Amino acid sequence: MREYDFKNIEGKWRKYWDAYEIFEPTRRTERPKYYCLVMFPYPSGDLHIGHGRNYILGDCLMRWKTKEGYRVLFPIGWDAFGLPAENAAIERNINPRQWTEANIDRMRQQLKAWGIGFDWKREIKTCDPDYYQWTQMLFVWMYERGLAYRKMATVNWCPKCATVLANEQVVGGCCERCDTPVTTKRLEQWFFKITAYAEELLNDIDRLEDWPERVKTMQRNWIGRSEGVDIFFKLDDGRTLPCFTTRVDTLFGATYAVISADHPELEDILKGSPLKAQALEFANKISARTIQRKPDETEKEGIFTGKYLINPINDEKIPLWIADYVVGEYGTGAIMAVPAHDQRDFEFAKKYGLPIRIVISPDGKLREGSHLERAYEGDGFQVNSGDFDGLPNREAMERIADYLEAKGLGKRTIRYRLRDWLISRQRYWGTPIPIVYCEKCGALAVEKDSLPVILPDVEKFKPTGESPLVYMKEFVETTCPRCRGSARRETDTMDTFVDSTWYYLRYLNPHDSEKPFGREEVREWLPVDMYIGGIEHAIAHLLYARFVGKVLADMDLIPYREPLPVLFTQGMICKDGAKMSKSKGNVVSADDLIANFGTDTVRISTLFMGPPEKDVEWVNRGIEGAYRFLNRIWRMVERIASVKSTSHIVPEDLNDDEMALLRKTHWMIKKVKEDVAKRFHFNTAISAIMELVNEMYRVWPEVTNPPRPQTLGVLRDAAEKAIHMLAPMAPHICEEMWQALGHKESVFLSSFPDWDEDMLQAATLNIVVQINGKVRATIVVPADSDQEEIAHLAKQDPAVKKWLEGKAIKKSFYVKDKLISFVVS
């Protein structure tokens, strides 16, 4: 018998699949389509075992659907622009393009070594002009529709990366790329108006029935819809400062107001204040930390501005403060503070000795002077609320809002936590923004037939806070597309997340030089049937892609408002309790494992770790167990292939062991199909195949004792069906075993077998017999026996009779198909 020579086997079958285009989706157009998409990678360097999970899952699904009779689109590309590649290139003192291309070559080789059956003819790179030409076109479309605009704004700034960051790219106050604490700057920047779609983005989450609930919750919270009232507080100079609140019922309890440090009108509002200099100094200090809202548990800081506001409900004069727990990103950038009924306001008021006035009482008994240990934020009845006293606070909300609107003192409104998407980056390695500035004509989009605006090669690209393109005269100086006078180009580049909002469409026809994607291909392949990737993209890439999809649908370019309706988020592979990372020194080399154990072993080990949606810990013995399993099934198939047999399975001719193996085979088929189809659980599917292999060895334990023809027939049947079901997970070895059993075509050109429900019903059952809680026998009964028949048969068993002699049965208990228990005395 042959040894399992994985090195030759795996190379042989990868060449075969390519040569015969086994997975080419355009070959069998009569089949239904299936678009399987995995999130394309950053070309950041060597892949380790932690990277492989989503690609292996995607490949298994592609092969599974192929065997189910689909033509599967399974493309790959490279999210090649952006900070990760540029920062890595800077560290190595090489050009980002050179670094990126080298990594792509290396990672492509690794993905192929993993046996990932991508359609490489559709490969895309977002740093290629024939790709980013269409990303620039997307910008122009946005600009023409009023969805791209430029404004001065306080922005997140990463000092290490020397560029601005979108809110979604600030995690815990730090840059998500380099973990550096984020500060703020005032800069003129380009934005996409994602807020124009906030309501639809929120409402359509309910349509995404096949997205993980956790991702949907994260997007709902990030969009953050709030219904409330803008209340118009007056300053002493007659100016109006709107303050947004969702609790207008607490307006009588406002004892101070807070304006954010980054409020665009702060300096004007502070005119005439004797404390203006101190207030602005404090505002600059806290604004330099981060513009993200501080956690509730963090101690708060503030300063009195020297200014006062007039509460429109009772004409009370209240002090205006600047504090670090109010940010310009939410509401109007100013709030009324009600310390009795908001915990953050309560903590701030306690620290600075500000009044606390109760206006909502759960029972009407809490009044002025009552002692509060913390803010009361629940419902109740109005107190200290003028004409609204005694009303349930929910009713008072409506009445107070009516009063304010009738008097012109406020307005009901809906606000969102979601801010417009800041896409400008002061870095080199990105898609140039296709805008020119003309002194006569202003800011204009580059004409569509002049795209792409090529990103030129530069010698100096280290981050300085400005794009290195600023210093390239031949890039900056251009002609105005309208008046044909002199003009200058925009030198900022786009956030790399713009590139990834539409890449799934470019895969449909990546070599089309006339348009980004065609209507015919869109009708053929959309929507995406399965999207696989990490949950870390929940509020950045996945939200941006939904937004751009809706814009394209409004332009009648795609027919789906949610083109990515099915999402699977895989868990991480961890080591030593942490995500695998080169910086942590806890990565496991996939190359070494493949060299020592083979690709299929790595795939089986990865899939067998646990449910794919859960994080799992890497254990070295897992790879050894996977290798033993593959060798075990290999040896059994080699045994079977070495014995000629023409026996057909006739159930009536089978003995008990043969029948048990036949039943186990059908059980395995059902188990594997249900686990993969319903739950994506390849781990339990592999376990079921392992059980079948164990049963095969029980039926034929010794190679020196050839089985009878009927046994060999059942063994061959079990082996072929095991190969079918294992093939998507361990494709190379399964192709070789399939061929060893005499088949000429690829196993992936054969459909999955079906199970016979009748074969799942055992003819007999093993029933445990207990007497007074102790096991005294196990009996074999017909499978259709009821409790009365089983009790009768148990009493006739010699081992049971001995324990019943001279005793009376007081009670009996029956656990269906498993156990009968007698209580005797």
Side-chain angles (χ1 to χ4, degrees), residues 145 519 550-559:
R145 297 177 70 83
R519 292 180 184 274
K550 292 179 185 303
V551 174
L552 296 177
D554 282 341
M555 296 178 67
D556 199 30
L557 294 174
I558 63 174

Side-chain angles (χ1 to χ4, degrees), residues 728-746:
M729 302 163 243
H732 311 85
I733 191 174
C734 286
E735 288 276 33
E736 189 72 13
M737 292 188 297
W738 188 247
Q739 187 181 71
L741 291 177
H743 299 281
K744 303 301 182 186
E745 283 194 322
S746 167

Side-chain angles (χ1 to χ4, degrees), residues 23-26 34-39 52-66 71-77 111 114-123 507-508 525 528 530-532 603:
F23 305 111
E24 169 55 53
T26 61
Y34 191 91
Y35 189 169
C36 180
L37 180 69
V38 294
M39 291 184 183
R53 204 175 192 190
N54 64 320
Y55 305 120
I56 292 170
L57 283 170
D59 184 72
C60 288
L61 184 60
M62 179 275 289
R63 294 172 189 273
W64 186 276
K65 288 296 179 181
T66 298
R71 53 191 179 93
V72 184
L73 179 61
F74 187 46
I76 186 61
L111 289 172
W114 271 339
I116 311 299
F118 289 126
D119 186 348
W120 290 101
K121 295 190 296 299
R122 297 174 184 265
E123 182 181 8
Y507 283 141
L508 305 184
W525 288 108
V528 172
M530 176 61 72
Y531 195 19
I532 302 172
R603 291 168 64 106

Side-chain angles (χ1 to χ4, degrees), residues 2 45 93 152 157 203 205 209 265 299 338 429 440 643 718:
R2 298 180 302 163
N93 198 32
M152 182 67 71
W157 180 264
N203 291 340
I205 291 174
E209 296 178 359
E265 298 178 25
E299 185 174 352
V338 186
W429 191 236
K440 180 179 177 182
V643 182

Side-chain angles (χ1 to χ4, degrees), residues 165-233:
L165 303 171
N167 285 350
E168 293 84 348
Q169 294 165 315
V170 181
V171 180
C174 295
C175 173
E176 70 166 357
R177 300 294 189 206
C178 66
D179 211 32
T180 300
V182 171
T183 62
T184 59
K185 275 192 174 186
R186 293 282 293 173
L187 294 172
E188 202 161 24
Q189 301 286 282
W190 282 96
F191 293 81
F192 279 169
K193 199 171 184 179
I194 191 173
T195 54
Y197 286 79
E199 186 76 12
E200 187 182 355
L201 285 166
L202 182 64
N203 291 340
D204 283 359
I205 291 174
D206 293 333
R207 295 172 54 190
L208 298 173
E209 296 178 359
D210 294 311
W211 275 37
E213 199 57 45
R214 183 181 171 197
V215 175
K216 294 194 287 185
T217 298
M218 291 168 74
Q219 288 207 1
R220 286 189 186 100
N221 292 340
W222 191 258
I223 295 169
R225 185 181 192 275
S226 298
E227 293 186 17
V229 178
D230 282 348
I231 302 172
F232 306 142
F233 286 79

